[in-house]
Amino acid sequence: MCVAVRDSCAPLLLCHGLSWPDSLDCDRFPADEDMCLASLSKEYKHIHKELPKPICQTCPAVEEFFTQKRVLDVFCANNFAVKVKLSKKRTVSGDQAYNIECQVEFINQAMASGTALIYDDEMTSYKLLWDDPECDIEVPERLLSSYEQLKHYHLVERCIHVPVREGTEEEIMLVHSSEYLEVVKSTQTMNEEELQRVSENYDAVYFHPNTYRCAKLAVGATLQLVDSVMSGKVCNGMALVRPPGHHSQRNAANGFCVFNNVAIAAQYAKRRYGLQRILIVDWDVHHGQGIQYVFEEDPSVLYFSWHRYEHQRFWPLLRESDYDAVGQGKGKGFNLNVPWNKVGMGNSDYLAAFFHVLLPVAFEFVPELILVSSGYDSGIGDPEGQMNATPECFAHLTHFLIQLANGRLCAVLEGGYHLKSLSESVCMTVKTLLRDPLPPISGEMAPCLSAIESIQNVRGAHKPYWKCLMYEEATPLHDLSTKSQQMMEAELIQTSTHPTAEQAVGTTKSDEAIKTDRFLESHMKKILSPVPPVKTAAAIVSKADAHLLPVSVQVEMEMNAQELKTVVSAFDAELVKEEKALLSLQNVLAVLDKILKKKVCNGIAESSVASVSTTFALKHCFDFGLQR
Ligand code: X5A
Ligand code: ZN
């Protein structure tokens, strides 16, 4: 937020994202000499539009006031206020002239907190009406079961409920053509046969009479989320929407998507809030080609997508989903594709892509807002993705992203077709947005060879555009480990029936899906240990300093001194003699004990002999029975 304060009494002039006051009342300004600023620089058109008319008509127009928009944006993003004092100059001729004094100050205002959750069951009111094995996985239960699971974990009540609205035609047309909008609109009154005919004009799409209404709600829900975050009402949030968006294009529905919710949101955020850098992270297992097309030439939107690719043999079968599609014209370097050439990618492969591709580039990009095309078909058990990432992986991905853009993140549902995997992963995402502690990540921690090759290739392709990749040694590999294998498989496919035909058909669940259900049931119980009642404990030497700590921190009393002496003397009697060392040790062990007994999440101990204390801490952990 940014507020211009005039002489520290009238707080209103330049707001960034926050709603404007109903009127600018000049009577609130005590001295005649001072007046309110009625208009802002021309560069601020998007804000200017929303300025209320000043009541005082004699206010001077200040045109060339904020020319350094970029500088100002930085102030705004960091809670600085621009204090402005405007005073009338006395000129000999009696002409009006004004002095402007400007000063930048830090506003001691709390950062936005809270997580928005946007959901409306009206978005479950459309479904596939005929037989289509390609589309029958996209069902209303996707939303229902995700929301049920959020309720089950008591996450709904911890979020701030934000209502949905319809996206307006103007908003939809930030990305789509009016001709296409009319086509979608016309499906409202169609009968089944007509609906089927329109659907056939597109790839992997079905229409229902309620599709148009839901698609407008999906856009509106996404924009409500952007508004909630940008206005500072919440820090982050998630919108559970149907239909998804990332495949849809200016003139076409595609892959269950009708309007491109996230692309529209990015255009909207640029216009409405004057944002200059937006990061879109598309962790859905499919390539969001629709988003890529919209922003290909736009350096203000950095688009990252990983996707099942298999050397262009996986849907949507596009050449431009490969790692060498880096963007075009001014947008070169702002499109990051990580194509997965094998199925079965898991936690370590996803984290490696974050560590070695997305995060270095994103930190260099410095986004002001993050939009996540949050598809969970990249999770374990999904019939489309055939990948292996477990739900807690999405907690970690979310956690890394909220370190950017002041934590301003909007997650918007895309795909995800294994109901249990989808809902558990949605819950892990929301929990992390609420800043619950993360479950440790499970499984093998080394990425597979094919993942390493893909990662190396994107890094190579982007080397010219990012400082963080400048020293990358590798140039793209052409002989990939998966290629020869792929060739053989392709030949086999040609001579046999389609191998995935037995996957999840209709209502009968595949054995594979049931296996994942069972696995997740016990896996989630294992990893979701109860959250300790106290987050942070502190053991400090001078208890008189305790009031300096935040109120939520629990101050620890040392361990019983006599007890400690016996523990220590068994290990190293020399230490017991040293009063200072003993005190340090007491602090460390007091905190450690609380962590081991799961009474607190973490803690800090003041210690003057850290290395000795650490040795003891380790020993204490072994005695406690920790092995790793
Ligand atoms: C949003 C999404 C997938 C379409 C797959 C068509 N679409 N085979 O996940
Ligand atoms: Zn998908």
Side-chain angles (χ1 to χ4, degrees):
M1 184 196 74
C2 181
V3 184
V5 200
R6 190 204 104 307
D7 217 11
S8 64
C9 67
L12 299 173
L13 287 169
L14 179 69
C15 293
H16 202 80
L18 281 192
S19 55
W20 291 98
D22 293 336
S23 66
L24 278 176
D25 185 354
C26 292
D27 296 340
R28 300 242 304 266
F29 294 65
D32 293 333
E33 302 290 282
D34 300 331
M35 299 193 180
C36 61
L37 299 175
S39 75
L40 298 156
S41 153
K42 288 194 194 92
E43 289 175 85
Y44 265 79
K45 284 223 177 66
H46 54 280
I47 290 174
H48 198 177
K49 234 177 34 190
E50 291 184 41
L51 258 177
K53 289 242 159 22
I55 292 169
C56 169
Q57 294 305 312
T58 56
C59 285
V62 182
E63 280 297 340
E64 298 306 317
F65 189 52
F66 296 112
T67 47
Q68 300 280 338
K69 182 176 185 304
R70 178 72 194 272
V71 174
L72 200 62
D73 280 343
V74 174
F75 293 148
C76 293
N78 293 292
N79 280 323
F80 281 93
V82 182
K83 267 193 175 182
V84 178
K85 183 178 178 179
L86 187 71
S87 52
K88 224 182 251 174
K89 256 190 206 161
R90 289 180 209 285
T91 54
V92 191
S93 62
D95 291 346
Q96 290 209 340
Y98 297 90
N99 275 333
I100 298 168
E101 281 170 46
C102 195
Q103 192 186 329
V104 173
E105 242 177 52
F106 184 68
I107 317 171
N108 190 13
Q109 186 218 5
M111 273 238 302
S113 68
T115 296
L117 181 64
I118 310 193
Y119 168 77
D120 194 303
D121 59 13
E122 199 180 340
M123 284 181 282
T124 64
S125 70
Y126 77 96
K127 60 174 190 191
L128 177 64
L129 295 174
W130 52 86
D131 248 16
D132 181 347
E134 193 174 14
C135 293
D136 62 12
I137 50 174
E138 204 294 295
V139 293
E141 288 74 20
R142 297 178 53 238
L143 284 195
L144 292 169
S145 62
S146 300
Y147 195 68
E148 270 311 305
Q149 199 64 7
L150 286 169
K151 283 199 274 190
H152 173 79
Y153 287 126
H154 300 284
L155 294 168
V156 172
E157 62 221 54
R158 294 174 56 201
C159 289
I160 294 164
H161 169 80
V162 174
V164 300
R165 64 168 173 93
E166 282 192 353
T168 65
E169 296 195 356
E170 193 191 338
E171 287 160 353
I172 291 165
M173 280 160 39
L174 286 168
V175 164
H176 301 281
S177 69
S178 58
E179 295 80 9
Y180 173 63
L181 174 59
E182 289 309 312
V183 173
V184 180
K185 203 186 284 181
S186 73
T187 62
Q188 278 178 108
T189 52
M190 286 182 178
N191 64 34
E192 194 174 316
E193 201 184 309
E194 291 167 318
L195 288 166
Q196 209 164 341
R197 213 168 322 120
V198 187
S199 306
E200 277 162 15
N201 293 333
Y202 305 107
D203 186 7
V205 170
Y206 67 90
F207 280 98
H208 176 283
N210 291 340
T211 298
Y212 177 54
R213 163 82 177 155
C214 294
K216 280 192 292 182
L217 291 177
V219 170
T222 308
L223 300 186
Q224 288 283 78
L225 179 55
V226 168
D227 281 333
S228 305
V229 168
M230 289 310 300
S231 68
K233 182 178 175 190
V234 296
C235 179
N236 57 35
M238 175 150 204
L240 292 179
V241 302
R242 273 180 81 235
H246 70 155
H247 296 304
S248 64
Q249 297 150 40
R250 182 168 168 77
N251 285 306
N254 184 279
F256 318 152
C257 301
V258 177
F259 298 137
N260 204 316
N261 309 315
V262 166
I264 294 171
Q267 295 289 39
Y268 175 87
K270 277 172 55 176
R271 296 263 171 111
R272 172 131 198 216
Y273 299 102
L275 297 192
Q276 296 180 321
R277 289 174 314 281
I278 298 174
L279 168 64
I280 298 178
V281 178
D282 189 339
W283 68 44
D284 186 284
V285 85
H286 299 96
H287 182 213
Q289 84 278 37
I291 302 182
Q292 175 168 313
Y293 298 154
V294 174
F295 299 109
E296 233 158 3
E297 295 188 38
D298 186 346
S300 67
V301 177
L302 174 61
Y303 177 63
F304 171 91
S305 172
W306 60 39
H307 34 268
R308 180 171 170 191
Y309 185 62
E310 297 177 290
H311 304 278
Q312 212 186 317
R313 285 188 189 89
F314 188 70
W315 191 90
L317 309 158
L318 301 169
R319 174 66 186 85
E320 62 267 32
S321 305
D322 213 349
Y323 64 85
D324 55 354
V326 296
Q328 289 179 18
K330 282 189 177 160
K332 273 206 165 115
F334 297 91
N335 194 83
L336 292 163
N337 282 337
V338 182
W340 298 130
N341 287 316
K342 265 178 106 163
V343 294
M345 295 298 171
N347 299 350
S348 52
D349 306 296
Y350 289 179
L351 287 175
F354 259 49
F355 291 158
H356 300 288
V357 180
L358 176 60
L359 295 175
V361 171
F363 274 94
E364 191 173 330
F365 180 65
V366 196
E368 298 159 308
L369 173 68
I370 303 169
L371 303 175
V372 181
S373 264
S374 202
Y376 297 93
D377 39 17
S378 45
I380 190 166
D382 192 279
E384 272 286 308
Q386 313 263 313
M387 299 298 179
N388 268 330
T390 47
E392 70 275 20
C393 186
F394 295 97
H396 288 261
L397 302 183
T398 307
H399 181 75
F400 287 117
L401 293 180
I402 56 180
Q403 312 307 316
L404 289 147
N406 265 321
R408 287 189 196 136
L409 182 149
C410 300
V412 183
L413 185 67
E414 299 278 3
Y417 308 100
H418 182 287
L419 297 184
K420 174 102 178 128
S421 177
L422 163 69
S423 3
E424 294 290 357
S425 300
V426 165
C427 289
M428 290 312 305
T429 306
V430 172
K431 260 173 89 62
T432 309
L433 292 177
L434 286 162
R435 294 185 180 271
D436 276 359
L438 308 192
I441 201 125
S442 56
E444 171 62 57
M445 266 301 113
C448 70
L449 176 61
S450 177
I452 293 171
E453 289 171 339
S454 297
I455 288 167
Q456 184 176 322
N457 281 350
V458 208
R459 288 176 56 99
H462 277 273
K463 193 173 143 161
Y465 312 107
W466 299 95
K467 285 201 198 91
C468 60
L469 301 177
M470 210 164 82
Y471 302 105
E472 170 67 60
E473 298 269 320
T475 45
L477 293 163
H478 295 286
D479 291 316
L480 298 181
S481 63
T482 44
K483 214 149 194 179
S484 54
Q485 192 188 331
Q486 281 285 321
M487 296 295 187
M488 273 159 47
E489 277 168 23
E491 276 160 29
L492 276 175
I493 290 164
Q494 276 176 357
T495 52
S496 67
T497 55
H498 202 274
T500 54
E502 75 232 50
Q503 285 297 323
V505 178
T507 48
T508 48
K509 268 193 179 172
S510 71
D511 292 353
E512 205 52 44
I514 295 168
K515 247 207 242 153
T516 311
D517 278 342
R518 291 214 191 101
F519 165 75
L520 285 174
E521 191 62 44
S522 74
H523 180 72
M524 295 316 288
K525 280 202 189 106
K526 239 184 275 167
I527 64 165
L528 290 174
S529 52
V531 176
V534 179
K535 186 131 193 229
T536 303
I540 50 179
V541 173
S542 159
K543 299 293 176 283
D545 291 342
H547 71 279
L548 296 171
L549 293 164
V551 279
S552 59
V553 173
Q554 181 173 305
V555 180
E556 292 306 323
M557 293 302 148
E558 321 79 0
M559 254 185 162
N560 176 291
Q562 203 43 54
E563 199 182 305
L564 186 75
K565 271 191 188 166
T566 28
V567 175
V568 175
S569 56
F571 185 70
D572 187 345
E574 272 305 290
L575 269 172
V576 194
K577 285 189 219 146
E578 263 229 61
E579 188 62 28
K580 209 172 63 175
L582 201 59
L583 205 63
S584 278
L585 209 51
Q586 279 181 346
N587 280 340
V588 175
L589 291 186
V591 169
L592 196 61
D593 230 43
K594 283 274 163 87
I595 294 174
L596 291 172
K597 290 179 182 151
K598 297 197 161 54
K599 290 193 176 132
V600 303
C601 281
N602 52 40
I604 185 163
E606 199 177 340
S607 165
S608 52
V609 283
S611 62
V612 179
S613 302
T614 310
T615 315
F616 269 90
L618 279 172
K619 187 185 179 303
H620 191 69
C621 287
F622 289 136
D623 291 348
F624 191 84
L626 292 193
Q627 301 202 334
R628 293 181 60 135

